[in-house]
Amino acid sequence: MKQASMHVASLTLDETNPRHANKTASLEESIAALLAKGPEKLLKLARDICQHGINPSELTIVLVGDDHNVVLEGNRRVAALKLLHNPALAPTDKLRKQFTAIAKSGDFPRRLTCVVAESRMQAEHWIKLKHTGENGGVGVVRWSTGEASRFNGRSTPTEKARLFIDAVNDWFPDEPDLRSDTQTVRDVRITNLGRMIADPAVRNRLGISFDGDVVLRSYPAAKLQPILARLFHDLAGPVSVDQIKSKRDREDYLEKVEGELPKLADRLEEPEKYSKSAGAEGPEGIAEAENGSDTPPKPGRRKRADFEKRLFQGVTLRHVSLRTSDVVEEAKRIKIDEMPNVAAVMVRAVVDIVVTEVADQLGWRRNQDTLKGRIGAVLHQVDPNKNDPYLANAWRFSQEDDGALILKSLHSFVHTWQNNPLSSEVRKLSTAYGIVLIKADELLEKKKR
């Protein structure tokens, strides 16, 4: 079966869904039947979608008809999405208000990746395996209590905090004060550290991420030393849980230590990783030998953080037009290393499309003759004092006349046949201008308020 990206609005629920005792006669009736089995379950699913997105391990199966696309598998998630897009589909005022509130709390997709079935019979085998148990091992084999416990223990903030401490000690083996503070945090403040690094804003600003039992570091150790020394000193001493309890508290803390945070300009081309089982990996991706033999270790494959694999990864625009949003979503499918030329052209195109629409919607007339002027207009609106570290590279790349990635380079990717962009260049541009796209979208949100 082939896959296809489909608008949520183009999908209709299955009127013969086995979840219903009787056939339903309309979309509203199908939604009401699902809600009747327990509205809180669908509300929770909607909240989870807003917070985490659609489960990538489960694809929606669709039967394409002449005038509609029937959802054969995934009716609950599609119903939740339809209610997020249009709460008026809910059967009661209370539910309409609840779905409206959830929709305002986060992001949710306009399109779904679907598997297209040629017939109900073709889809029946897979739907049966999904919903009718293990089927001798062919279906879904659920974890035992012990297996679930091991998974949950591995993914808790506390376990990640312990792994992070191991990484920090590996990065700074010759700093006794820092190691003393990490030991204190491990012994008596481990949950406080877990609370901090569970916050995506904190991880992003520190330039760290987790991939299983691997810690990825996106800045040189020397650039991280001031903030990590400060963080562990504070957690080991004066900073209590009440001072970092809420997201706002953690934002206040980051503002207080702004001078010790790494600069975006110092970000590594590719992150370095620490694994408790294999030791650290240096800039060349060579893992340390564990057995003490003279045999040189095999080169390891360096792992990039997810946001560096594809164009504008992590960027979601909710307030631009549907067409502009679709352009961005389609551009995000481009793998930078596989298609650097297309990716370079699309950086130029996507940035121009977004800043031009924002200018049109907000009625800007000044500085709209050039792309430099249009980008500059957005930057002056969102960062008038040029003190946002996340926008430092965007200012430099688009408004200054020196450097390797000035705006002329961006133009040359489109207009000069002799220019062959490097993946590293495209990655830097995508990261720098991705922040501009998000900030531009926020300007439209303020207008709608």
Side-chain angles (χ1 to χ4, degrees):
M1 293 189 286
K2 296 182 179 179
Q3 294 185 9
S5 175
M6 297 185 177
H7 276 283
V8 173
S10 72
L11 302 176
T12 187
L13 302 185
D14 187 2
E15 295 178 354
T16 61
N17 188 342
R19 293 185 185 276
H20 309 326
N22 301 302
K23 182 179 178 181
T24 55
S26 65
L27 173 63
E28 290 82 356
E29 192 173 321
S30 295
I31 288 176
L34 289 172
L35 287 166
K37 292 182 175 294
E40 188 55 36
K41 291 182 179 179
L42 212 54
L43 287 165
K44 286 182 177 179
L45 176 57
R47 291 190 193 99
D48 190 78
I49 289 172
C50 285
Q51 183 177 1
H52 301 289
I54 294 294
N55 185 349
S57 68
E58 297 182 349
L59 294 181
T60 302
I61 301 179
V62 173
L63 178 64
V64 176
D66 294 333
D67 56 353
H68 53 266
N69 305 317
V70 179
V71 177
L72 302 182
E73 171 55 32
N75 279 266
R76 291 182 66 252
R77 78 189 74 129
V78 172
L81 280 171
K82 284 185 173 291
L83 286 163
L84 288 170
H85 284 286
N86 184 13
L89 291 171
T92 66
D93 287 337
K94 179 181 178 180
L95 286 170
R96 291 180 199 118
K97 291 178 181 178
Q98 288 176 306
F99 280 106
T100 298
I102 294 171
K104 293 178 179 178
S105 70
D107 298 327
F108 44 91
R110 297 175 178 178
R111 305 180 70 93
L112 278 181
T113 299
C114 301
V115 177
V116 179
E118 296 178 2
S119 66
R120 286 182 179 271
M121 185 175 296
Q122 186 185 38
E124 184 177 322
H125 174 73
W126 307 109
I127 296 173
K128 178 181 178 181
L129 292 183
K130 171 72 181 296
H131 294 286
T132 60
E134 295 187 6
N135 286 283
V138 183
V140 177
V141 179
R142 297 193 176 277
W143 281 338
S144 67
T145 302
E147 290 166 341
S149 178
R150 285 192 291 273
F151 175 81
N152 290 329
R154 184 177 60 194
S155 60
T156 61
T158 298
E159 287 302 310
K160 287 185 177 179
R162 293 192 180 100
L163 177 62
F164 184 51
I165 288 174
D166 291 336
V168 172
N169 287 336
D170 184 85
W171 298 336
F172 305 101
D174 301 320
E175 298 203 18
D177 290 341
L178 177 55
R179 293 179 74 89
S180 175
D181 286 334
T182 60
Q183 187 61 48
T184 300
V185 172
R186 185 193 295 272
D187 291 342
V188 297
R189 298 286 183 87
I190 191 69
T191 56
N192 289 3
L193 177 61
R195 188 184 299 272
M196 287 291 285
I197 63 174
D199 188 325
V202 174
R203 293 198 306 272
N204 185 48
R205 200 60 192 90
L206 292 178
I208 64 167
S209 57
F210 295 87
D211 184 7
D213 63 352
V214 174
V215 181
L216 295 165
R217 168 169 58 82
S218 295
Y219 291 99
K223 298 296 182 180
L224 275 178
Q225 192 278 338
I227 183 57
L228 292 181
R230 172 68 181 273
L231 174 65
F232 280 97
H233 174 75
D234 287 346
L235 291 177
V239 173
S240 67
V241 64
D242 290 336
Q243 293 172 276
I244 57 170
K245 194 169 187 178
S246 70
K247 190 170 185 66
R248 179 61 186 174
D249 292 334
R250 294 187 289 274
E251 290 173 353
D252 290 342
Y253 178 83
L254 290 176
E255 289 181 10
K256 186 168 66 174
V257 300
E258 177 65 37
E260 291 156 291
L261 289 166
K263 308 301 181 186
L264 285 180
D266 296 321
R267 202 174 186 97
L268 296 169
E269 288 284 338
E270 299 185 16
E272 296 176 4
K273 65 182 180 180
Y274 167 83
S275 173
K276 188 173 182 178
S277 59
E281 252 190 26
E284 300 303 320
I286 307 298
E288 296 179 359
E290 296 181 4
N291 55 14
S293 70
D294 294 330
T295 304
K298 294 181 180 180
R301 182 179 179 182
R302 290 187 295 182
K303 184 177 180 63
R304 291 193 181 95
D306 285 344
F307 66 84
E308 293 182 328
K309 290 180 180 178
R310 298 177 185 269
L311 205 61
F312 297 125
Q313 198 151 331
V315 174
T316 299
L317 307 184
R318 293 193 60 199
H319 305 284
V320 296
S321 66
L322 180 60
R323 186 260 180 177
T324 298
S325 176
D326 282 348
V327 169
V328 175
E329 290 301 311
E330 290 168 13
K332 285 164 61 178
R333 301 175 193 168
I334 298 173
K335 294 183 178 179
I336 295 173
D337 288 328
E338 293 183 7
M339 296 183 285
N341 289 289
V342 173
V345 171
M346 286 306 299
V347 170
R348 165 68 167 77
V350 169
V351 171
D352 202 353
I353 288 170
V354 172
V355 298
T356 299
E357 178 182 335
V358 170
D360 288 345
Q361 288 206 39
L362 297 180
W364 296 346
R365 295 293 178 265
R366 295 180 58 189
N367 299 321
Q368 295 300 303
D369 294 336
T370 64
L371 179 57
K372 177 179 180 179
R374 293 192 288 276
I375 297 173
V378 172
L379 290 172
H380 282 289
Q381 285 287 327
V382 301
D383 187 26
N385 298 320
K386 299 185 180 181
N387 56 9
D388 187 337
Y390 292 103
L391 292 169
N393 280 342
W395 276 108
R396 182 159 60 90
F397 293 165
S398 69
Q399 305 301 304
E400 298 180 11
D401 293 329
D402 58 358
L405 288 171
I406 58 176
L407 201 59
K408 290 179 182 178
S409 298
L410 201 60
H411 290 312
S412 71
F413 293 153
V414 178
H415 300 294
T416 305
W417 61 269
Q418 294 172 311
N419 194 318
N420 294 313
L422 300 175
S423 295
S424 59
E425 291 179 323
V426 179
R427 191 167 287 111
K428 286 182 179 179
L429 291 166
S430 175
T431 300
Y433 287 118
I435 305 297
V436 177
L437 302 185
I438 293 171
K439 296 291 186 180
D441 192 56
E442 290 174 354
L443 289 175
L444 297 181
E445 180 185 21
K446 291 178 181 178
K447 175 192 175 185
K448 293 176 181 179
R449 289 176 182 171

